[in-house]
Amino acid sequence: SFSATNLPIGATFQDSQNGTAIFSWTPNYSQAGSYPNVNFEVSDGLLKDDKDITITVANVNQAPQVGNISPASGTSKANKTVSFSSTYIDPDGWQDIQGVFILINTSSDSKSCFLGYYDQNTNKLYLRDNRDTRWLGGYKPGSRKIIQNSFVTLNCGKTRVSGAGNILTVKWSITFKPTFKGIRSTTLIPKS
């Protein structure tokens, strides 16, 4: 017969009664770490043998998720600054998010629109050019820099970034130019 003690939570060890036993465990994200002194024992009724082992579960990076945007809807006048607060969530902590995108356009196309990017690793802001061929800018939030294409302006000086726990928040300071009119939708995209 087979038996096991000190198994991690959720693990099973079943004696099949035919000379074999099966250990089974699918750890979840919160169970990364080391599990020492897991004991397996076999006995024939007279004699027994046992072995202590250590099970190590590697930490796996979890994918970031989209949080919220505020305001979620509304109207704006040309040449008037609008502030959008967007949140992005990473179960491994906000520092694990490499960067985040915000797209404001009539479709998922990134031409002739506002496509902003914040690179968390370098702490820099970018704006996509009109034709979606290159990134403009590369300035720190709070710096006295303006990034613009023919449709929008991103004010780096008034754009703020903060992180707490597993949430990264970017408060984008955007001015829509007269060429950027009509009904638009907003899409948030985190990058890990």
Side-chain angles (χ1 to χ4, degrees):
S1 67
F2 295 90
S3 63
T5 56
N6 201 26
L7 292 175
I9 294 172
T12 61
F13 185 70
Q14 296 187 347
D15 185 349
S16 64
Q17 303 295 323
N18 65 359
T20 62
I22 298 173
F23 169 78
S24 179
W25 184 36
T26 304
N28 62 42
Y29 285 109
S30 66
Q31 290 181 298
S34 183
Y35 296 84
N37 304 317
V38 177
N39 182 269
F40 294 96
E41 184 178 291
V42 61
S43 173
D44 65 2
L46 297 173
L47 299 172
K48 69 177 184 171
D49 193 14
D50 71 306
K51 176 81 174 171
D52 283 345
I53 67 165
T54 298
I55 299 173
T56 303
V57 179
N59 189 22
V60 175
N61 185 30
Q62 299 178 67
Q65 304 157 8
V66 171
N68 299 312
I69 186 157
S70 178
S73 65
T75 57
S76 175
K77 294 182 179 181
N79 297 320
K80 182 175 179 192
T81 300
V82 179
S83 179
F84 287 95
S85 180
S86 58
T87 60
Y88 309 84
I89 303 163
D90 193 308
D92 298 312
W94 70 269
Q95 300 92 333
D96 207 47
I97 298 173
Q98 290 183 14
V100 295
F101 298 89
I102 180 173
L103 172 66
I104 302 174
N105 204 6
T106 55
S107 67
S108 60
D109 183 21
S110 49
K111 292 181 183 175
S112 306
C113 66
F114 175 77
L115 176 58
Y117 175 63
Y118 170 67
D119 186 327
Q120 199 274 130
N121 291 332
T122 61
N123 190 33
K124 291 186 179 175
L125 295 162
Y126 298 88
L127 175 65
R128 201 69 175 163
D129 74 343
N130 297 339
R131 295 177 292 146
D132 191 23
T133 58
R134 65 187 178 102
W135 289 105
L136 307 171
Y139 305 116
K140 293 186 182 290
S143 66
R144 295 182 181 181
K145 299 290 185 176
I146 300 287
I147 311 169
Q148 60 184 323
N149 60 26
S150 297
F151 302 95
V152 294
T153 299
L154 175 61
N155 185 330
C156 299
K158 293 184 178 178
T159 297
R160 301 286 182 248
V161 178
S162 62
N166 61 354
I167 299 174
L168 175 68
T169 303
V170 181
K171 294 182 179 176
W172 307 89
S173 181
I174 305 165
T175 303
F176 299 112
K177 295 181 178 182
T179 52
F180 195 75
K181 45 185 157 174
I183 297 172
R184 310 286 174 150
S185 60
T186 306
T187 306
L188 304 178
I189 306 162
K191 176 183 172 186
S192 66

